[in-house]
Structures are given as structure tokens and as C-alpha cells.
């Protein structure tokens, strides 16, 4: 056993003494030691209940003959961190999470790991750690929040963000906004739509690293507690069979996950995260692969923010297994891929069927003929840019307009909320990339304000930063190279004509080579204040571009 390094032999008597100081018995120490990586805290609604899930995991591990040992990791709530300096730390926390798990699992050599994430950067951070460490691992998420009910319609946290724009433009009253605020998020769980947290939990299931149901069973359901116990039991089988994360999350598994991503219409953040996770497993994944798969994968689900359905409806319709079954019928998945059940994907989904054809459409009658995400290239994004095309209004799939340039999210939000944005414009928010932000902030506030004001029908928004999984509209992010690296986006001026053609995968700005060179010589980048000893300063110095996953480079 790997844990023998810290518990076996005469020389490890001091270590055993320290274990016994915590109440562990000789019998417990003789069993495999299973680290339970618990992201519970009291600041993230998706994590407020994870201690309960952790106890159920512990029960499962014990039932199967192991000794479970809980240790924590940090977690940022993107919704609460949104719109202020806190968002600079969100993506950056992904690396801290992966590094801290590596630290714990190497300092205390566990035989296996059970990961309990739920929200945005915690899921990919844990996945990165699992593939980096490559010891038997399984994931069990905390599950999605139920949608709220407001004026006879289903709502979620994005409904509140959009309502802020509606209030600012005089479309709704302060009382109505307050009433929506009170009911949009009815309880624990990751926010109810196909935002980043639920996207990543669903893709973890598609990768084969969690048991069927982990991505969609509601947080409050007893079925999730049962699944947590089953996950605790399953990890012991993975340990006995010596099945490792990289045995599961190989190239065919990543292709399956990206295909499922496109069918579901997941958050654009999945691109950033899957690139980073694949790198940890030495799997070759790039932006071109995402677009290659997108072109041939129908978008068969229309989930919030793109559509009216929420994750609870997806679960009732058969969940990720049903989505993958439909994709398999279309010949789009590698069904021989191994999973944490010990069986291959084809065996897992064999008896699954779609229970609601409105929520999960047949591949022959999709919501959109291509995948939910498109990758754009052009002189404005030589390294690529991403957009959730399934959430773009048809009239905005092709757009040409004058640039309105901002050097920060705050500058853009101020003018949007002041109501001085003109229909037809292309808003450019730059110096918000991984290095320039630093931290590549999500910008749900400006996009939601545009939607709330009805401007998503005529205004596009481009950034070297990123957008929330809750974003809809012609919001194009991850523009690479970013402004802080001297990308073309740094050279754009107010009034420049920007052309967007999502079906053709093109994005460009009408600037001649000579004019671009002249502007580059005259370029003075804005200086952003960062505390000299801040983690963000180290992060900015080491982080890669978005098209490489915004990972830290040695």
C-alpha cells in the first residue's frame, strides 16, 4: 500500500503515535487510507452541505474496508466574487487547489482519493490534481441547486444579474428586483443552470471519473447521499483493481467529454479547464480539437442561460447518461472508454433511455446543428477566441460594428449601467486576461446588464478575459494573445470596425498592417496596482495565455 510509507515498520512508530493521537486504531491503520478531499465551507452555496456528502463518502469507504480521512481545500463563489477585485482570485484559485491537494497527498501518501467539489474552479482544480497525482480517484459532486420560482416561471441567479440591468433601465421596480432576489436561489447546490459549475460536474461524469448521476442529481436529493456512499465503496474497488485516473481520462475520454460539452451547450469556461486538465494527464487537446468536434456535434439540450430548462429537468430526462446514449446512437462517442464503475461507457449507458425529448432532443432534431461552443480565429484573435454560440441570438451570429473600447470591466459596466451604449456597437473590454487582469475575471455583470436592457439583440462584447457560464448573447471571450501580451486587441481604438462571423469562425478588426505597427510603437499599457507580495503578482508572472488553458508555467 502507498500509505505504508507513513505507517509501516519500526521506524514509523512516531507516525503511528500521531495517528493515535487523533483516535485512529491499529485496525484502521492497517487498512488502505483514503483521502477525502472536502471543499465544504460557509461562503459557497454549492458547498454549504458538503460535510454531509463527506460523511456519506466516509461511510461508503468504511463499508468497503477502507479508512477515510478528510482534508479540506479552499473554494471561491464566483457569483459573490463577481464584479469586484475578488474575481481576480477565482481562476487563480484553481492552481492553488491543485497544488494544495498535491501537497497533502504527497506529504501524507494516501492509497486513494475521493474528491468532493461542486463549484466553478474547485472541480477543475481537483481534476488537475487527480491526473497529476495519478493514484486511484473518484469524484462525487455536491449536486445542482433547484431553480427558483418567480411569477410562475423558473429563475436562477443569472435572472437576478439580468434584473439589475432591467432595473437600471427602468423596466422593473426595486420591489420586484428584491422579490426576485429573495427566491432565485432556493437552497444549497451549484447554481441551477448549465453554468460553469454544473458544466464541469457533468463533464467529470462524461470523462468517466464519477458515477452516473453525479452531474445532475439535485443537491437536496437523498439519491445524492446514496451516490456518495456508493462512490466511497467504488473507490475501494478502483484501489483493488489498480485503476488510475489516467487509465480513464485518456484521449478518447477527453473527446467524449468535449462531444458531451457541445451537445449540452456548456460554459465557455470548460474550454479553459479541459485544456488545463488534459495537460496534467499528458493528453493532447487544443482549441482546434474543440472546434472540430463542435462542427459535427448537434446541440441537443437548451439549458439556462441559453434556454428555459435547468439541471433538475435534465436529470429528470435521464441525465448525462441519456445525453451520452443519444450521442452514442449517433456514432459520436467512444463507447469502449473505461469509467470508475469498472465498466466501459457502453455498458454504463446500455439500459439508459431519454425520458423527455424536449429536454434532450434526438440528434436528428437538435436545437442547433452544431455544438454549443464555437472557436473563432482572425487578426483580432490569432490564438483563438471562444463563444457560446448556442446562447447567441440568430441576428447576432454575424455582426459588424464600431468598437467601443474599455481597459477594465469597471469602465465598461459604468457606461452600460449609465445607459449610454449605442445599438450596433462592439464593446471591447481588454487588459482582463490571465496576465493583464490579472486573473482573467468572469464578467457576468456587464453581459447580464446588456441582456436586461435588451441590447443583446444589437451589441456584441469582446474580451481577453472570460465570461460566466451564465452569460448569453454575442459575448466572445478568451481572445488570445491578450492585450497584456501585445495582442491585436491592445491596438483597437474607438470607432474601428470589428467584424464577427460565428458560423464562419471569423473575428477581425479593420486595421491595416501599417496602422497596426504605428499603434504598437505608440502603445502605452495601463498600469494596474497589485500588492508586491500578492499571489496575483506571482500568478501574472507565470500564467500562460488562455488558448493554453491559463496554466502556471515553470
Amino acid at each position: 500500500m502507498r500509505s505504508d510509507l507513513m505507517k509501516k515498520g519500526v521506524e514509523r512508530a512516531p507516525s503511528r503515535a500521531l495517528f493515535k493521537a487523533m483516535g485512529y486504531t491499529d485496525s484502521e491503520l492497517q487498512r488502505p487510507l483514503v483521502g477525502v478531499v472536502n471543499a465544504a465551507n460557509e461562503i459557497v452555496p454549492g458547498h454549504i452541505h458538503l460535510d454531509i456528502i463527506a460523511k456519506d463518502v466516509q461511510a461508503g469507504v468504511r463499508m468497503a474496508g477502507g479508512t477515510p480521512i478528510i482534508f479540506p481545500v479552499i473554494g471561491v463563489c464566483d457569483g459573490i466574487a463577481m464584479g469586484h477585485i475578488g474575481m481576480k482570485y477565482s481562476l487563480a484559485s484553481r492552481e492553488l487547489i491543485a497544488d494544495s491537494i498535491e501537497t497533502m497527498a504527497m506529504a501524507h501518501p494516501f492509497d486513494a482519493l475521493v474528491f468532493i467539489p461542486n463549484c466553478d474552479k474547485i472541480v477543475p482544480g481537483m481534476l488537475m490534481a487527480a491526473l497529476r497525482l495519478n493514484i486511484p480517484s473518484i469524484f462525487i459532486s455536491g449536486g445542482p441547486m433547484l431553480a427558483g420560482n418567480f411569477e410562475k416561471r423558473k429563475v436562477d441567479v443569472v435572472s437576478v444579474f439580468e434584473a439589475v440591468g432591467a432595473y437600471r433601465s427602468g423596466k422593473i421596480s426595486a420591489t420586484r428586483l428584491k422579490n426576485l432576489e429573495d427566491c432565485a436561489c432556493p437552497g444549497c447546490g451549484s447554481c441551477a443552470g448549465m453554468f460553469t459549475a454544473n458544466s464541469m460536474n457533468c463533464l467529470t461524469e462524461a470523462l468517466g471519473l464519477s458515477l452516473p448521476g453525479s452531474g445532475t442529481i439535485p443537491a437536496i436529493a437523498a439519491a445524492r447521499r446514496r451516490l456518495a456512499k456508493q462512490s466511497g465503496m467504488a473507490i475501494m474497488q478502483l484501489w483493488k483493481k489498480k485503476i488510475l485516473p489516467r487509465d480513464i481520462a485518456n484521449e478518447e475520454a477527453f473527446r467524449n467529454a468535449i462531444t458531451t460539452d457541445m451537445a449540452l451547450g456548456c460554459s465557455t469556461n470548460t474550454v479553459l479547464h479541459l485544456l488545463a486538465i488534459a495537460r496534467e494527464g499528458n493528453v493532447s487537446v487544443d482549441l482546434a480539437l474543440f472546434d472540430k468536434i463542435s462542427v459535427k456535434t448537434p446541440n441537443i439540450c437548451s439549458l439556462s442561460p441559453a434556454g428555459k430548462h435547468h439541471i433538475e429537468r435534465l436529470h429528470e430526462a435521464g441525465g448525462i447518461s441519456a445525453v451520452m446514449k443519444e450521442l452514442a446512437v449517433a456514432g459520436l462517442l467512444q463507447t469502449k472508454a473505461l469509467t470508475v464503475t469498472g465498466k466501459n461507457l457502453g455498458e454504463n449507458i446500455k439500459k439508459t433511455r431519454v425520458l423527455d425529448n424536449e429536454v434532450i432532443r434526438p440528434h436528428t432534431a437538435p436545437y442547433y446543428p452544431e455544438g454549443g461552443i464555437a472557436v473563432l480565429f482572425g487578426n483580432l484573435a490569432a490564438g483563438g477566441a471562444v463563444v457560446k454560440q448556442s446562447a447567441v441570438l440568430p441576428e447576432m451570429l454575424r455582426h459588424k460594428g464600431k468598437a467601443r473600447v474599455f481597459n477594465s470591466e469597471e469602465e465598461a459596466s459604468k457606461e452600460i449601467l449609465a445607459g449610454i451604449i449605442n445599438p450596433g456597437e462592439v464593446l471591447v473590454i481588454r487588459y482582463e486576461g490571465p496576465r493583464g487582469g490579472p486573473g482573467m475575471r468572469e464578467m457576468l455583470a456587464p453581459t447580464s446588464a446588456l441582456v436586461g436592457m435588451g441590447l443583446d439583440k444589437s451589441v456584441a462584447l469582446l474580451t481577453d478575459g472570460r465570461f460566466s457560464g451564465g452569460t448569453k448573447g454575442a459575448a466572445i471571450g478568451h481572445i488570445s494573445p491578450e492585450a497584456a501580451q501585445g495582442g491585436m486587441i491592445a491596438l483597437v481604438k474607438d470607432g474601428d470596425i470589428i467584424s464577427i462571423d460565428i458560423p464562419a469562425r471569423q473575428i477581425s478588426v479593420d486595421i491595416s498592417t501599417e496602422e497596426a505597427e504605428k499603434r504598437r510603437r505608440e502603445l502605452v499599457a495601463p498600469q494596474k496596482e497589485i500588492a508586491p507580495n500578492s499571489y496575483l503578482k506571482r500568478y501574472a508572472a507565470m500564467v500562460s495565455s488562455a488558448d493554453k488553458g491559463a496554466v502556471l508555467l515553470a
Side-chain angles (χ1 to χ4, degrees), residues 117-119 123 139-145 189-219 223-224 227 231 260 264 266 303 310-316 318-321 323-324:
N118 213 25
C119 290
V123 187
F139 284 69
I140 168 66
S141 79
M145 184 186 295
S190 48
C191 296
M194 189 53 79
F195 313 143
T196 305
N198 287 323
S199 293
M200 289 307 305
N201 284 325
C202 290
L203 295 188
T204 301
E205 187 176 329
L207 275 171
L209 289 171
S210 62
L211 296 179
S214 181
T216 59
I217 295 173
R224 180 155 296 278
L227 193 69
S231 299
T260 305
L264 288 168
C266 290
L303 300 153
H310 290 84
I311 305 300
E312 62 201 73
R313 287 288 304 277
L314 178 61
H315 180 65
E316 291 164 359
I320 301 307
S321 291
V323 172
M324 297 186 82

Side-chain angles (χ1 to χ4, degrees), residues 254-266 268 270-271 274 286-300 327 332 363 366-377 385-391 397 502-505:
F254 273 93
R255 287 177 175 269
N256 283 347
I258 295 170
T259 301
T260 305
D261 186 338
M262 298 305 162
L264 288 168
C266 290
T268 53
T270 59
V271 177
L274 287 175
D286 58 19
L287 284 179
L289 179 61
F290 280 88
D291 205 55
K292 180 181 178 181
I293 291 174
S294 178
V295 168
K296 65 180 183 180
T297 305
N299 177 217
I300 59 176
L327 293 172
L332 295 172
H363 69 275
Y367 281 98
Y368 194 76
E370 295 182 348
I373 294 173
V375 181
L376 313 184
F377 292 93
V386 298
V387 60
K388 191 169 184 173
Q389 64 176 344
S390 60
L397 289 170
I502 294 173
R505 304 302 202 259

Side-chain angles (χ1 to χ4, degrees), residues 237-265:
Q237 290 302 310
L238 292 169
W239 173 76
K240 288 175 184 175
K241 294 178 180 179
K242 298 181 180 179
I243 297 175
L244 306 178
R246 293 188 194 180
D247 297 331
I248 296 170
N250 53 25
E251 185 173 346
E252 65 179 7
F254 273 93
R255 287 177 175 269
N256 283 347
I258 295 170
T259 301
T260 305
D261 186 338
M262 298 305 162
L264 288 168

